[in-house]
Amino acid sequence: MDVVGVEPGRVAEASGGRFVTFEGPEGAGKTTQIARLRARLESTGQAVLVTREPGGTPLGGALRSLMLDTGQLPLAPIAQALLMSADRAQHVASVIRPALQAGTVVISDRYVDSLYAYQGFGDGVNLGSLKAISLLATDGLLPDLTVLLDLEPSLGLARKRQAHEKGVSELNNMDRRPIEFHQRVRGGFKELALAEPSRFVVLDATAPADILEWRIWRSVEAMIRVR
Ligand code: TYD
């Protein structure tokens, strides 16, 4: 099924950098693994930029709070998709692409696959339309590698709730959606990965952090060697 098939020739950027994204349902441990990957890359002397969506630019910060802060009015799914895409357009133009052109490895905590999984599979926005919007927003920039940390949503949400109860982090509007929504999101991510096996590496997020770190590092090293 060509859900989000790669546009031939659009992946490879005419730049020295590499673009790695992390995806997955809530509470899958992306933050920990991104920090570990950054440390490994930096220890080899590689310039690294860690960023995130939504929120990797000043515009993104404002959009993020409009979309995710509790107390905000609920957004129609298409409005949310367009705001997420506006955030992404600004992020690609002002942060990601310039860094790639400077030879940096850019690691983004979420990118376009989150749009397909949450607004598409989760909320039922038409995937073909999301793909068209994304082509415009990103000018065709796709990651060289996408790490999908797969997790049963009830486990991830329980992790987030515990952190919330300890005062470590807040629960946002997405975290408060019903479990069925999060299950559709998880299934969506898996389907996206199946459609593009050469871009995705899918890992079981319940594995010990050291093992995940090693598996991610092997994939990143291989990706760096290829280009
Ligand atoms: P965040 O607190 O960053 O959650 P996480 O730590 O799980 O990444 O919140 C980002 C939320 O925004 C997350 O629930 C996924 C959602 N999202 C979308 O719905 N669409 C998108 O295009 C992106 C990038 C994120």
Side-chain angles (χ1 to χ4, degrees):
M1 182 172 78
D2 182 25
V3 190
V4 282
V6 182
E7 296 281 317
R10 300 304 299 266
V11 182
E13 286 292 293
S15 70
R18 301 286 190 283
F19 185 25
V20 182
T21 58
F22 279 69
E23 300 281 4
E26 309 299 326
K30 290 182 280 103
T31 311
T32 305
Q33 291 303 326
I34 287 172
R36 289 181 179 217
L37 175 59
R38 168 192 229 154
R40 277 191 182 259
L41 282 164
E42 284 178 346
S43 74
T44 69
Q46 173 65 53
V48 181
L49 175 77
V50 172
T51 185
R52 71 168 177 175
E53 290 191 359
T57 65
L59 171 72
L63 291 178
R64 182 184 173 84
S65 102
L66 269 177
M67 291 185 287
L68 296 174
D69 286 357
T70 50
Q72 296 287 354
L73 287 176
L75 292 174
I78 294 177
Q80 180 135 33
L82 291 169
L83 289 176
M84 289 286 182
S85 301
D87 167 52
R88 185 162 301 117
Q90 182 68 13
H91 193 209
V92 168
S94 68
V95 175
I96 299 176
R97 220 180 264 282
L100 290 174
Q101 278 159 1
T104 302
V105 173
V106 177
I107 306 174
S108 185
D109 184 344
R110 301 195 181 281
Y111 187 62
V112 73
D113 298 299
S114 280
L115 183 79
Y116 302 140
Y118 282 81
Q119 280 68 54
F121 288 88
D123 266 336
V125 179
N126 179 273
L127 282 166
S129 305
L130 291 179
K131 189 178 161 188
I133 293 167
S134 299
L135 195 59
L136 185 68
T138 64
D139 193 24
L141 178 68
L142 278 172
D144 296 289
L145 177 73
T146 296
V147 178
L148 173 57
L149 294 180
D150 176 52
L151 186 69
E152 161 56 37
S154 57
L155 292 177
L157 289 166
R159 280 187 190 172
K160 276 202 154 180
R161 274 191 208 106
Q162 275 168 8
H164 174 60
E165 276 154 25
K166 286 187 196 146
V168 179
S169 64
E170 289 297 314
L171 288 182
N172 65 33
N173 282 337
M174 266 321 166
D175 304 327
R176 295 171 195 270
R177 301 285 303 267
I179 190 71
E180 295 76 22
F181 169 80
H182 291 286
Q183 274 154 354
R184 289 195 298 277
V185 169
R186 181 202 191 186
F189 275 127
K190 288 183 166 182
E191 212 167 296
L192 294 165
L194 276 176
E196 282 183 69
S198 59
R199 174 162 69 88
F200 277 88
V201 55
V202 183
L203 299 172
D204 173 0
T206 63
D210 287 350
I211 296 198
L212 284 174
E213 177 185 344
W214 176 241
R215 290 189 180 146
I216 292 168
W217 181 238
R218 277 200 335 219
S219 302
V220 170
E221 270 190 315
M223 179 267 302
I224 287 175
R225 271 199 306 271
V226 166
R227 275 182 41 206

